[in-house]
Amino acid sequence: MEGHKIIKAMRIYLGMSQREAAEKLGIYLSVYQKYENIPGFVMRANFTRVCKILEFMHLDPNKFFMERYELTEAGYEVTARETTGSPTNQQKRILRECCPVRYIRSRNRITEVTILSSDLK
């Protein structure tokens, strides 16, 4: 699961630096950075704190832990950049065009086709 990348992409999408996110969440910057930079840290961390972070990032904790979110192309491009400051103008432009995360409605077990929330009408 790429939970750490999803959290980073949503933070950048919301236009915050890591420091701003940590301050608004009431945690140390070094702790917040672990959530974004260490693969698997989200799954091993304090459940209540993780839920607070997810809700702050406008992500549903149930869907997150059931692996119902995935990065879009914009999300992958943004998380590939190793920045700790505010998003660059290029990142802002990319993210204005589309959200870095999409919700997976379901997967067809036979055909392996992913059904996204945007596919439903």
Side-chain angles (χ1 to χ4, degrees):
M1 179 177 190
E2 298 181 321
H4 64 295
K5 291 181 179 181
I6 290 171
I7 290 172
K8 179 178 182 178
M10 287 304 292
R11 173 188 54 82
I12 293 171
Y13 182 69
L14 295 171
M16 290 182 284
S17 67
Q18 286 182 331
R19 181 174 306 284
E20 290 171 325
E23 287 173 0
K24 289 179 181 180
L25 288 163
I27 60 177
Y28 291 110
L29 174 60
S30 60
V31 173
Y32 180 80
Q33 288 173 331
K34 290 179 183 179
Y35 286 101
E36 282 192 10
N37 299 328
I38 300 175
F41 186 80
V42 174
M43 302 309 276
R44 297 185 309 269
N46 178 289
F47 182 75
T48 304
R49 183 179 290 162
V50 172
C51 288
K52 183 178 176 183
I53 292 170
L54 295 174
E55 289 171 358
F56 178 72
M57 298 293 172
H58 304 287
L59 296 168
D60 182 317
N62 289 327
K63 293 175 185 175
F64 183 85
F65 287 111
M66 292 178 66
E67 298 185 18
R68 295 289 188 180
Y69 288 110
E70 68 180 16
L71 291 172
T72 63
E73 288 181 31
Y76 279 110
E77 188 166 336
V78 167
T79 59
R81 299 180 181 277
E82 294 301 321
T83 61
T84 56
S86 299
T88 65
N89 288 335
Q90 182 183 9
Q91 290 169 321
K92 289 178 185 177
R93 182 185 54 75
I94 292 167
L95 291 169
R96 274 194 298 269
E97 293 172 6
C98 64
C99 183
V101 175
R102 65 178 156 225
Y103 169 60
I104 301 170
R105 186 74 177 186
S106 65
R107 279 198 172 93
N108 185 317
R109 293 181 185 176
I110 298 169
T111 62
E112 296 295 321
V113 172
T114 300
I115 302 168
L116 303 171
S117 57
S118 59
D119 295 336
L120 304 175
K121 297 191 169 134

